[in-house]
Amino acid sequence: MRVAFLTSEFITETDSFDGGLSNYIFKVSIGLLKFGHQPIVIVSSNENSYLKFDGIDVYRVKPEQNLLYKFADKISSYKYQPILDLLSQSFYVNKKLRAIHEENRIDLVQFPSYQAVGCFVPREIKSVMRISSYQKLADEANGVYHKTIRERQWQILEKWSYKKAKNIFGPSSFLANIISKEFNKHVEVIESPNEKKEVNLDSSIITEIEAKINGKKFGLFFGRLAQIKGLLDLAEVLEEFLTNNPTHYFVIIGKDVGHRGGSSLDYLLKKVNRNQDRLIYYKEQHHDKLMPVIKKADFILMPSRIENFPNACVEAMSLKTIVIAPRGISFEQLIEDGVNGFLCKNANPDDLLKVIEKVVNLPSEKKKQIQFNAGETIKRLHPDITIKKLIEYYQSILKK
């Protein structure tokens, strides 16, 4: 099969290489190659170009602000630029898809729910939408409650995409159930692939960290510094955690997306107060530098307010690291509390701190058993299992 992936992000792009969607598409593409299929990635970019990336055909497409865009933007008094940007992105990505299809037939196209990339998918090509998020819930988790149509532009376009999609699947049972009920459609659940690879790792970041902490342990958060990812909960627990545990530092690796008009990092530093010297920050990193840090962490905090099927959790558990995450938002699909990780109440800093203290004080043998169990859990996500299920799902669509 020739399978095209439409996306707004991919690991070839400097501003989106670290996203969950980027890494998911890369892992699936590598898996399809191993099974003898041909993945083609068409990504919205800042330039028009083609490259071969680890055997994957990658077409980078730059959306243009054409005359129609400028006219629509002007007559709407520039109020609907977000929705125009998304529609423009979808139009040009799908224009490239049509050109590739005319030259060499595409069997199936997959697009994410995120950013409505599939709005202009050609009817002549069979297609499938993968749930990567649900903007309505994401906005609420970020503390944003849109009231006007202008404010809900992303939500409106995403809902239209869900209604239009003929085939939908997702990795999370939690979100699949919500989408199925909301749009009265069958949603298949297929978990995302993970294959443990430790080639060409870069130890520069972990070496710097170990020099700073001088033999002590550290907790780790990696991901966007945003409310949806648990910024507020981190801010509430870090000072007390560091005060109570002088044997520990805390490391944060991720993109500072800002908070209330200022820097997310500055917000955290003010909250940490007297313990700022034991909070270590690095901006987002590629996997070759990030994975050695994950392996050495005493525990990983993932206090997200909502999740799909968290790649970050999968990666941490595959490296036999203990993850602490909230109940009720997909993590139960991976974590059995006290067996291969730990769960806490969602958006509850007090309970989060209690669980952190429990993990820090675990007996050595108990900790080793939980770490081992974490690694064993992730084996079910090996591409030989998950990619095979995905291919069977693709084939069932083609037979319809």
Side-chain angles (χ1 to χ4, degrees):
M1 286 184 294
R2 278 169 53 82
V3 182
F5 293 92
L6 307 183
T7 180
S8 58
E9 59 181 60
F10 192 56
I11 60 174
T12 55
E13 307 307 297
T14 54
D15 58 347
S16 64
F17 67 85
D18 60 328
L21 177 59
S22 301
N23 287 282
Y24 163 79
I25 292 174
F26 176 67
K27 289 175 182 177
V28 168
S29 296
I30 292 296
L32 289 174
L33 282 171
K34 288 184 177 179
F35 277 89
H37 302 285
Q38 185 180 359
I40 299 154
V41 174
I42 307 172
V43 58
S44 176
S45 180
N46 57 4
E47 65 175 53
N48 292 305
S49 63
Y50 164 82
L51 70 149
K52 199 86 167 177
F53 187 83
D54 280 7
I56 305 163
D57 292 310
V58 180
Y59 294 87
R60 307 173 75 204
V61 179
K62 183 179 180 180
E64 302 289 343
Q65 293 185 359
N66 57 25
L67 290 175
L68 179 61
Y69 175 102
K70 292 175 181 177
F71 176 72
D73 199 20
K74 188 174 182 179
I75 64 170
S76 65
S77 301
Y78 309 102
K79 292 179 180 179
Y80 298 103
Q81 198 168 66
I83 204 167
L84 288 172
D85 285 339
L86 293 183
L87 289 172
S88 176
Q89 174 179 257
S90 179
F91 175 80
Y92 282 99
V93 166
N94 281 284
K95 183 180 179 183
K96 172 57 73 173
L97 172 65
R98 284 188 178 90
I100 297 169
H101 181 64
E102 287 174 7
E103 187 176 320
N104 192 354
R105 183 176 177 273
I106 299 289
D107 295 298
L108 185 75
V109 56
Q110 177 176 313
F111 57 91
S113 57
Y114 182 63
Q115 291 199 357
V117 183
C119 279
F120 295 108
V121 166
R123 292 182 179 180
E124 63 268 23
I125 308 174
K126 290 195 174 183
S127 62
V128 58
M129 172 191 276
R130 177 186 179 266
I131 300 170
S132 55
S133 63
Y134 189 25
Q135 195 64 42
K136 178 184 174 183
L137 297 182
D139 285 340
E140 292 173 2
N142 255 330
V144 179
Y145 297 92
H146 297 308
K147 295 179 181 179
T148 67
I149 291 176
R150 180 182 175 184
E151 292 172 332
R152 294 199 308 270
Q153 291 178 58
W154 277 38
Q155 290 186 24
I156 291 167
L157 202 55
E158 185 187 63
K159 281 188 175 182
W160 181 58
S161 298
Y162 273 120
K163 289 177 181 177
K164 182 186 173 201
K166 294 179 180 178
N167 305 289
I168 304 176
F169 81 100
S172 161
S173 298
F174 167 72
L175 272 188
N177 289 333
I178 291 173
I179 297 301
S180 179
K181 290 175 183 177
E182 186 88 14
F183 299 98
N184 194 28
K185 291 189 174 185
H186 171 72
V187 178
E188 196 79 17
V189 176
I190 304 172
E191 294 182 330
S192 304
N194 183 76
E195 186 171 9
K196 189 176 178 183
K197 285 187 175 182
E198 297 186 13
V199 294
N200 300 321
L201 295 182
D202 184 338
S203 299
S204 57
I205 299 295
I206 187 59
T207 300
E208 286 182 15
I209 291 171
E210 288 178 330
K212 290 176 181 177
I213 67 178
N214 194 26
K216 292 186 177 180
K217 298 177 181 179
F218 68 92
L220 173 66
F221 169 91
F222 63 99
R224 285 181 296 131
L225 279 174
Q227 182 171 324
I228 193 172
K229 294 297 183 182
L231 174 68
L232 301 184
D233 301 299
L234 276 176
E236 291 303 313
V237 303
L238 282 184
E239 183 185 16
E240 190 169 349
F241 163 70
L242 291 170
T243 300
N244 294 345
N245 297 278
T247 57
H248 280 70
Y249 280 66
F250 198 84
V251 176
I252 293 174
I253 300 178
K255 188 178 293 183
D256 186 338
V257 300
H259 180 66
R260 295 175 183 171
S263 160
S264 297
L265 180 61
D266 288 345
Y267 176 74
L268 280 175
L269 288 171
K270 287 177 185 176
K271 286 285 190 177
V272 171
N273 200 3
R274 295 168 298 168
N275 295 300
Q276 290 185 12
D277 60 325
R278 285 163 55 214
L279 182 65
I280 300 171
Y281 171 73
Y282 289 90
K283 68 177 185 178
E284 63 274 19
Q285 300 292 324
H286 286 282
H287 275 67
D288 58 341
K289 290 185 178 180
L290 179 60
M291 292 179 80
V293 183
I294 296 172
K295 286 182 69 175
K296 290 292 183 73
D298 190 37
F299 61 89
I300 309 286
L301 282 193
M302 294 186 181
S304 298
R305 295 294 176 90
I306 191 167
E307 278 289 356
N308 184 23
F309 187 77
N311 286 320
C313 182
V314 170
E315 289 166 354
M317 291 177 70
S318 73
L319 295 172
K320 299 181 180 179
T321 308
I322 293 176
V323 174
I324 301 171
R327 293 185 181 88
I329 57 165
S330 289
F331 283 101
E332 291 97 327
Q333 201 167 326
L334 294 164
I335 297 174
E336 186 177 352
D337 189 33
V339 176
N340 60 0
F342 288 87
L343 297 170
C344 62
K345 294 177 182 176
N346 192 8
N348 189 316
D350 291 338
D351 194 54
L352 175 61
L353 185 60
K354 286 179 184 177
V355 176
I356 295 171
E357 295 289 353
K358 182 192 293 185
V359 172
V360 168
N361 292 294
L362 279 174
S364 177
E365 287 304 312
K366 178 68 172 175
K367 179 177 282 189
K368 288 179 181 177
Q369 185 60 53
I370 293 172
Q371 291 169 333
F372 173 80
N373 292 343
E376 290 297 296
T377 298
I378 302 305
K379 287 182 178 180
R380 77 168 192 254
L381 303 179
H382 192 280
D384 287 349
I385 300 170
T386 50
I387 295 294
K388 186 178 179 182
K389 289 181 181 177
L390 185 61
I391 290 170
E392 289 171 352
Y393 178 59
Y394 287 166
Q395 290 170 338
S396 72
I397 293 171
L398 294 177
K399 289 176 182 176
K400 286 183 181 178

